[in-house]
Amino acid sequence: MNKIYVSAGAVLAASVTGAAWLMNANPSAQSTDDAYVEGNIIQVTPQVGGSVTMIAADNTDFVKAGEPLLRLNDVDAQLAVSRAEAQLSRAVRQVRVQFANATQGKANVTLRATDLARVQADLARRRQLASSGAVSGEDVHHAEDAVKAAQAALDVAQQQLASSQALVDKTTISDHPDVQAAISQLRDAYVAANRTTVRAPASGYVSKRNVQIGQRINAGSAVMSIVPPDQMWVNANFKESQLRQIHIGQPVQLVADVYGKSVRYTGRVIGQEAGTGSAFALLPAQNASGNWIKVIQRVPVRIALDPKELAAHPLKLGLSMHVEVDTSQPGNPSVKAANTVYSTDVFEHEMQDADAAVARIIAANVGTGQLAKVN
């Protein structure tokens, strides 16, 4: 008898639970528990290689964009900077010599032109005197030779001036090709030295640190990861039979197991993956066999979360979520009108120190008035 009462009580409880679920369930909704939190995992990779001399962040630490994460031995980089600075100084002084040669060439042309005018006047005067017999024909011949020599000297001076001007014509010291090449080398050296300090490309929590002090690392190797807490979404894996009612822009109610039903998130459907989960698996299913059994496939549906709710109740990657899409709403494709863009400005200031060094070195090695263009 007691067993009968217990069985009846269990049936009654199950009936009440089922009735309550039917009363509270939204008939115009599609739901799933096969949903998980996902987000960006930003790999931190040094742009140059070297030995690690300092690690400034560890797993679970929160870092801001631009903060140093680790530092590499920069001795070789600083030596390269010193060599590049010396090369720029040498290039500036060599170009100064080229400008001086061009100026000297102009003066030499003027001198040779003056000499030619003088001997031409002397020849004309001797020819006048030769007609009266006051000057011998030999003196006139010598005067003619002097004119030819002066003309040749002027031609040589003009060619030398053209050669000198070809090196500096329409340039200044700062934009001369030789100086620009040295500037480029100095910038390369400064940027390489600056990159020995690896900085956080975005704000977030550090995870997967796999580098140690003294370790030699190569450029491009992943040393740690950063997870931005504000760049998270939910991928809900709906059955293929549910997809016909799910559209972009439909409102979504979400519950995280970590907070329970007391905390509800609101979101929007922003897209569906291009294939099922099995289609993108490492080993896709091969159904062309004799013993085929149909398995209902699931397609990941991406759901954007409310940023304010996410900030108030942060989530972790991989947490389980219960998702309920209100399919009574027609959806709004404009919710996903533009592609998502992620960017960082951490690397935009790498050239500042280099440009300051370039200006300093040129100012220290250029002469007064040498920046004017040579016409």
Side-chain angles (χ1 to χ4, degrees), residues 318-366:
L319 290 180
S320 299
M321 302 286 287
H322 175 79
V323 174
E324 186 177 276
V325 180
D326 185 0
T327 55
S328 64
Q329 302 291 333
N332 181 12
S334 63
V335 172
K336 190 61 175 176
N339 292 333
T340 303
V341 177
Y342 300 106
S343 64
T344 179
D345 59 356
V346 171
F347 306 109
E348 292 182 357
H349 308 292
E350 289 183 332
M351 297 290 290
Q352 285 185 344
D353 293 340
D355 290 339
V358 167
R360 171 177 55 82
I361 293 172
I362 291 179
N365 292 277
V366 71

Side-chain angles (χ1 to χ4, degrees), residues 117 146 200 203 239:
S203 300
K239 298 177 182 178

Side-chain angles (χ1 to χ4, degrees), residues 73-267:
N73 185 1
D74 64 347
V75 173
D76 293 339
Q78 293 301 330
L79 291 175
V81 168
S82 298
R83 289 194 296 269
E85 288 180 343
Q87 178 60 33
L88 177 58
S89 299
R90 186 183 303 111
V92 171
R93 292 178 180 272
Q94 289 174 345
V95 171
R96 282 182 59 190
V97 172
Q98 294 176 5
F99 274 87
N101 290 339
T103 303
Q104 181 181 1
K106 284 185 176 182
N108 192 32
V109 167
T110 302
L111 175 63
R112 296 304 178 185
T114 302
D115 291 342
L116 177 61
R118 178 175 55 79
V119 295
Q120 285 176 339
D122 184 59
L123 175 61
R125 188 166 53 253
R126 288 178 182 277
R127 283 175 174 172
Q128 290 178 355
L129 295 174
S131 60
S132 61
V135 176
S136 66
E138 184 178 358
D139 288 339
V140 173
H141 181 70
H142 288 325
E144 291 176 345
D145 290 341
V147 170
K148 292 179 180 178
Q151 182 64 56
L154 176 60
D155 292 341
V156 171
Q158 289 175 336
Q159 292 299 321
Q160 290 176 342
L161 174 60
S163 176
S164 298
Q165 282 188 321
L167 297 176
V168 298
D169 191 28
K170 297 181 179 180
T171 66
T172 66
I173 288 182
S174 60
D175 62 16
H176 191 277
D178 293 346
V179 175
Q180 285 295 312
I183 289 174
S184 179
Q185 293 179 355
L186 179 59
R187 284 172 173 166
D188 286 341
Y190 258 87
V191 169
N194 184 61
R195 288 175 176 175
T196 57
T197 299
V198 181
R199 302 182 181 276
S203 300
Y205 290 97
V206 176
S207 63
K208 300 174 65 177
R209 179 177 74 84
N210 57 0
V211 64
Q212 301 295 335
I213 291 293
Q215 180 179 346
R216 173 77 183 184
I217 59 177
N218 297 321
S221 58
V223 295
M224 62 182 69
S225 298
I226 293 178
V227 179
D230 57 342
Q231 297 179 14
M232 293 190 176
W233 59 89
V234 172
N235 268 355
N237 301 300
F238 284 96
K239 298 177 182 178
E240 50 190 318
S241 57
Q242 297 176 289
L243 295 178
R244 69 174 67 96
Q245 302 181 50
I246 298 177
H247 306 288
I248 293 176
Q250 288 175 331
V252 183
Q253 292 288 324
L254 306 98
V255 175
D257 291 351
V258 67
Y259 293 115
K261 295 182 180 180
S262 60
V263 177
R264 286 185 171 271
Y265 296 87
T266 58

